[in-house]
Structures are given as structure tokens and as C-alpha cells.
Amino acid sequence: LKADDVVTQLQKIVLGANPAIVASGDFTIFVGKDKAIAYQIALANRNLFKEGDSLKVYGTDINIVGVTGLTGTDKIVAGRASHLIAGTDLTSDLDTASLEYSVETKQFYMDFQWALGVNVAFPDEFILASEKA
């Protein structure tokens, strides 16, 4: 994918989405960090992006978020950010939590380990796009 194609691709996602969901105020496009950087470069090459600007689909108020989990996958996920639910398995992992006190430093040290995942509340309101599709 050429960098300039990223701008067009993201604009097409907004245009192809349900207008009511786009107008919700929290419609967001999630891309890999690699695609987010390519998008910034494409805008910079067109003199449309300056350092410190928040990343938005050009010509709209739609946020773009670069996430590590999508990097290198060529996938784009778009939908209402408020419909993404973060979950953990803390209940099953309470035995991996530890709390220790150091007499030498007079500090408490905590160590917690758990899995973290994200799920979609209303899958029919999300778009999953791919360059290969």
C-alpha cells in the first residue's frame, strides 16, 4: 500500500459507514501503528499535517488510533469507541498477586499479573476492513 492510498482508504471507510454511527461523536478508526505512521507521512507530504496535531481522518473530526495489536496485519477496525469493552481475568489470577515490604527501603512492592483483552459490545456496528479484501 502506498502512503497516499492510506488517506483515500480511511476516507472511504468513513463514507461507507452507517451515518448514525459516524455521527455518534465517538466513531473511531483503529489501525496498526505502521498504518498510522504511513497516514501521518502522507498528510505531511501534502503539507496537511503538523507536529502536535491529533490524528484524524482528513476533512473530518473522526479520530484515528494506532494500536500495536493491528500492526502488520493490514486490518482496520472502525466503530464507536464506547462499544469496546476491556476485560481481565483478575479473579482467576489472584494467586499471582504479591505484596512485599522492604525493610531496607521502607517501601511496599506490588506485583500483579493478569490477561487483558478487548471485546466489541455490538459487532454489527463495527467495520473490519483489510487491504487484501
Side-chain angles (χ1 to χ4, degrees), residues 29-113:
I29 298 178
F30 299 91
V31 299
K33 293 272 189 182
D34 53 346
K35 189 177 291 289
I37 291 168
Y39 182 74
Q40 287 175 319
I41 290 170
L43 290 182
N45 287 342
R46 295 178 181 182
N47 202 24
L48 301 173
F49 182 82
K50 66 180 190 305
E51 200 65 37
D53 283 353
S54 59
L55 200 54
K56 297 190 181 290
V57 176
Y58 185 72
T60 74
D61 63 349
I62 306 300
N63 289 319
I64 299 171
V65 178
V67 293
T68 306
L70 291 174
T71 300
T73 66
D74 296 327
K75 293 182 180 173
I76 300 171
V77 178
R80 295 189 62 184
S82 63
H83 290 175
L84 293 174
I85 311 299
T88 69
D89 63 349
L90 287 175
T91 305
S92 66
D93 285 338
L94 285 178
D95 57 335
T96 62
S98 67
L99 176 66
E100 297 179 17
Y101 179 74
S102 170
V103 177
E104 294 84 17
T105 62
K106 295 184 171 106
Q107 292 183 0
F108 284 97
Y109 294 93
M110 296 181 284
D111 183 32
F112 296 93
Q113 297 176 8

